[in-house]
Amino acid sequence: MVMCKDVVENIIGYIDAELDDKTLEELEKHLDECPECQVFVRTYRKMLELTGKLRERTFVTPEIRERLKQLLKSKLKPN
Amino acid sequence: MIGTVTGQRGKETSPPDLVNTTDEKLIELFISSKDERAFEEIVNRYADKIYRLAFKITRDYYSAEEILQEVFLTLINKIDTFRGESKFSSWLYRVTANAAYMHLRAQKKYENDVSLEDYVPYDENGTLMGRIKAKDWSDKPDKALLSEEAMEIIEKAVNELPEPYRVVFHLRDVEGFSNQEVSEVLGLSVPALKSRLHRARLYLRDKLSDYFYEWSK
Ligand SMILES: [Zn+2]
């Protein structure tokens, strides 16, 4: 019998649509009937959507950038 | 030309002819004619990513900056060790990861290696009953979830992952690398990194649920 555990342990394959038909069918049957798993999948997807947005944040401050530039400038143009 | 600060968020604009040039072509230009503008374009493209990865490994801003500088110096001095066998970006991240791990070793700053291998959200009967739904945050409006405050919470949660999981998660789910690329950068087999990614995501989803639950109270 399919348990929540099976949904959890197959979540990567489920999200990436890499499961075989039989497994997928069984998991979806469980998902239809299990509110806990529904929330698990929804929050899991949402998490991936949000963490992908972290990429757009800038970390290198203008000060760090300036110090890097000065350093590289001296190395690129040896006297 | 070095020194013009324009563009958004502190990034600089490069001459239009270089912006659309591939990394590999830029490197070729740099090697063949010591083209400084080509080098600057590489810096513009990768400074943030290198700094982020270095910080994700060391969790130290000072070290991250040192590593950022080291990586570009390596690029100037040892560019000939890049043989074009892998993508330039993979090579650069590998140099970054190696430099960051060297820093950790030099500072003898080992984290307690907390293993998440046994980490599961379900109980001994294999059920999630009573464990997930009570902290559902998936229906929070995007406006709240994408706010600066929420992003800080997410960033903090990622930073709290134990080291080997944090780096895999960062490269795969934040930077958006493929399994193959992560495998090249970290020298890890694809099954090994998939397993780490799985535990990292489970742990992080739980953490986020706790944080967002507290946050909305
Ligand atoms: Zn379930």
Side-chain angles (χ1 to χ4, degrees):
Chain A
M1 202 180 76
V2 169
M3 307 281 295
C4 300
K5 180 183 177 179
D6 300 299
V7 173
V8 171
E9 294 303 336
N10 283 295
I11 186 71
I12 291 188
Y14 180 70
I15 296 274
D16 294 346
E18 284 173 350
L19 297 180
D20 60 81
D21 291 349
K22 186 171 172 292
T23 311
L24 181 64
E25 198 180 312
E26 284 172 358
L27 289 189
E28 286 192 325
K29 190 166 173 292
H30 175 90
L31 269 167
D32 276 346
E33 295 159 359
C34 180
E36 298 281 351
C37 278
Q38 286 163 19
V39 174
F40 174 79
V41 173
R42 276 211 305 274
T43 47
Y44 189 96
R45 280 191 199 276
K46 200 78 194 175
M47 164 185 75
L48 294 182
E49 191 188 315
L50 292 174
T51 49
K53 303 261 189 235
L54 292 176
R55 188 174 37 221
E56 293 157 19
R57 304 182 103 208
T58 305
F59 282 80
V60 175
T61 62
E63 292 76 26
I64 295 174
R65 191 168 286 273
E66 190 52 38
R67 287 195 289 270
L68 176 65
K69 231 162 29 187
Q70 291 308 325
L71 174 76
L72 296 179
K73 205 171 174 178
S74 67
K75 300 290 172 185
L76 283 169
K77 279 196 185 131
N79 297 318
Chain B
M1 202 180 68
I2 290 178
T4 41
V5 179
T6 53
Q8 295 173 327
R9 302 198 303 180
K11 286 192 178 159
E12 280 139 53
T13 48
S14 300
D17 56 323
L18 291 179
V19 171
N20 296 316
T21 307
T22 64
D23 292 347
E24 285 72 14
K25 185 76 195 161
L26 289 172
I27 292 303
E28 224 179 279
L29 277 171
F30 179 62
I31 294 176
S32 62
S33 54
K34 290 281 156 214
D35 187 329
E36 270 183 51
R37 290 180 321 139
F39 191 80
E40 274 173 51
E41 174 58 22
I42 292 283
V43 173
N44 283 341
R45 276 180 205 184
Y46 287 103
D48 253 307
K49 293 170 189 293
I50 290 171
Y51 186 77
R52 266 199 309 245
L53 175 57
F55 180 76
K56 276 292 170 295
I57 293 174
T58 62
R59 277 199 294 202
D60 179 80
Y61 290 109
Y62 186 74
S63 298
E65 181 169 355
E66 280 190 348
I67 293 158
L68 173 69
Q69 297 181 344
E70 273 171 43
V71 169
F72 282 113
L73 291 180
T74 303
L75 187 54
I76 293 175
N77 298 324
K78 297 189 183 157
I79 184 60
D80 49 327
T81 63
F82 169 62
R83 309 209 179 279
E85 285 150 1
S86 56
K87 267 167 70 183
F88 170 73
S89 56
S90 302
W91 179 83
L92 195 61
Y93 293 125
R94 197 160 59 236
V95 170
T96 306
N98 288 342
Y101 285 118
M102 291 254 276
H103 265 249
L104 278 188
R105 275 195 288 274
Q107 299 179 343
K108 301 206 168 29
K109 248 177 63 180
Y110 293 103
E111 288 177 38
N112 277 333
D113 274 337
V114 182
S115 172
L116 297 183
E117 287 319 295
D118 300 324
Y119 185 80
V120 291
Y122 43 80
D123 63 20
E124 60 276 18
N125 301 317
T127 169
L128 292 172
M129 198 76 77
R131 293 184 167 224
I132 307 286
K133 210 171 145 273
K135 292 179 184 171
D136 185 7
W137 50 273
S138 62
D139 54 357
K140 277 191 190 304
D142 273 0
K143 193 168 175 292
L145 289 174
L146 295 174
S147 67
E148 187 54 31
E149 202 187 345
M151 281 291 148
E152 289 290 340
I153 290 175
I154 297 164
E155 185 89 50
K156 178 169 170 253
V158 174
N159 287 338
E160 283 171 0
L161 284 165
E163 197 281 311
Y165 303 92
R166 189 167 72 233
V167 178
V168 169
F169 183 87
H170 173 75
L171 289 175
R172 188 71 174 59
D173 287 343
V174 178
E175 296 292 357
F177 287 19
S178 67
N179 287 331
Q180 194 51 46
E181 282 173 305
V182 180
S183 159
E184 276 177 37
V185 172
L186 298 179
L188 258 180
S189 72
V190 171
L193 76 85
K194 270 189 160 175
S195 149
R196 278 189 201 174
L197 181 70
H198 181 50
R199 295 301 152 200
R201 284 176 173 182
L202 293 182
Y203 184 79
L204 192 65
R205 198 213 59 82
D206 258 6
K207 272 262 151 149
L208 278 185
S209 297
D210 289 343
Y211 283 143
F212 282 141
Y213 182 67
E214 282 298 313
W215 188 47
S216 61
K217 270 205 288 197

